[in-house]
Amino acid sequence: MGQGTARRVDGVSVLGTGVRSVARIVARDDGRGGTSLPVLESDGPLALRRTRASGPEARVMLVGAMSGPLGGDHFTVEARVEEAARLSVGSAAATIALPGQSKSEARYDVRLDVADGAELHWLPEQLISAQGSDLYVTTRVDLAATARLVLREEQVLGRVGEEPGRLTSRLTLRIAERTVLDQELACGPGAPGGWDGPAVLGGHRAVGQLVVVRPEFSVEPVTARALGEGASVVPLAGPAALVTAVAPDALRLRRLLDEALTSLA
């Protein structure tokens, strides 16, 4: 790690052009109608905390222990939900991508693996792309044939009154080893032309998507339709549906995605 700006991580000063941090979760059926967490590991700027839950699911909160990701940082979150287990993961606050002393991009990788008969709700708070930042986010989800998933991603381009940084986000979904979704969106300075035009964001500054996977969608597929102004749902090739939404701000975006989830229940 080279020399750079000092930051505090769990009370320790960290120098360098980039921080590496990995958080890991494993959820397992405890055999008593609940879910245990035999692995709950995190370091540096990523902290995992188990929270109170009712019923069979386990709940975990991802807490940021420092600012970032900054330029040159590389954060990774991995979660595996084993057969018949249920896990819900959220975050305590929005993640803010910030510029750093390093001119290289920051990386944030999410890797999710859900077994047969298991269920995962992945519901973090918004990712905010601050002016001058450069972040590449990848989310890869691997589901078994009878797994269930609710996954929400929300991205806000710029804080109030500022232009966004560069943000590239890629989402890949595989069900029973078959890729049913692989899409990438790049926004902000240096992104391919047209990202802010009518075919993509249309001038909006908040964009999000909701992926819902349920085995019963194989029998009764979701019908493609508009979900009010700024949102739509389409079926995927498999027991899955994708909701895409754009909005002028984070509050309106969350409302659109919440309404979409209710409509798919």
Side-chain angles (χ1 to χ4, degrees), residues 82-166:
E82 297 183 352
E83 189 170 346
R86 295 186 181 183
L87 175 65
S88 178
V89 180
S91 58
T95 297
I96 305 178
L98 296 165
Q101 188 164 0
S102 170
K103 299 303 180 182
S104 59
E105 70 177 9
R107 293 287 305 260
Y108 201 130
D109 298 325
V110 176
R111 302 291 180 258
L112 308 175
D113 191 340
V114 188
D116 274 314
E119 183 169 354
L120 172 64
H121 287 209
W122 189 263
L123 303 170
E125 294 301 308
Q126 296 92 354
L127 169 63
I128 301 172
S129 174
Q131 187 172 18
S133 64
D134 185 358
L135 177 63
Y136 185 45
V137 182
T138 66
T139 301
R140 189 179 69 214
V141 187
D142 283 283
L143 304 179
T146 62
R148 293 174 175 268
L149 173 74
V150 176
L151 179 146
R152 183 184 68 213
E153 289 189 340
E154 299 170 305
Q155 294 148 3
V156 179
L157 305 180
R159 293 170 292 191
V160 176
E162 75 173 8
E163 291 299 310
R166 176 163 180 169

Side-chain angles (χ1 to χ4, degrees), residues 126-127 152-157 204-210 229-231 243-260:
Q126 296 92 354
L127 169 63
R152 183 184 68 213
E153 289 189 340
E154 299 170 305
Q155 294 148 3
V156 179
L157 305 180
H204 292 297
R205 284 295 178 263
V207 58
Q209 49 200 356
L210 181 73
E229 185 176 355
V243 175
T244 304
V246 294
D249 55 50
L251 182 62
R252 176 58 181 162
L253 177 65
R254 176 65 60 83
R255 187 178 301 123
L256 284 170
L257 294 178
D258 284 349
E259 290 172 355

Side-chain angles (χ1 to χ4, degrees), residues 6 26 28 30 62 64 79-80 83 113 134 148 154 158 167 190 221 233 243:
V26 174
R28 181 174 296 161
D30 65 7
L62 182 61
R80 186 171 82 250
E83 189 170 346
D113 191 340
D134 185 358
R148 293 174 175 268
E154 299 170 305
L167 176 62
V233 59
V243 175

Side-chain angles (χ1 to χ4, degrees), residues 2-7 13-17 70 100-102:
Q3 296 298 308
T5 303
R7 285 188 279 165
S13 181
V14 176
L15 287 170
T17 57
L70 308 186
Q101 188 164 0
S102 170

Side-chain angles (χ1 to χ4, degrees), residues 21-23 41-48 62-66 75-77 108:
S21 183
V22 179
E41 302 173 346
S42 54
D43 59 25
L46 298 175
L48 297 172
L62 182 61
V63 181
M66 59 184 280
F75 296 175
T76 303
V77 181
Y108 201 130

Side-chain angles (χ1 to χ4, degrees), residues 160-226:
V160 176
E162 75 173 8
E163 291 299 310
R166 176 163 180 169
L167 176 62
T168 305
S169 176
R170 183 172 182 176
L171 172 61
T172 305
L173 172 66
R174 288 166 49 86
I175 302 176
E177 301 184 348
R178 178 187 181 190
T179 300
V180 299
L181 177 66
D182 190 353
Q183 66 178 25
E184 183 173 283
L185 175 64
C187 303
W195 67 269
D196 201 22
V200 186
L201 297 187
H204 292 297
R205 284 295 178 263
V207 58
Q209 49 200 356
L210 181 73
V211 177
V212 180
V213 180
R214 294 176 179 151
E216 52 265 34
F217 286 168
S218 293
V219 180
E220 296 184 16
V222 170
T223 302
R225 62 189 186 277

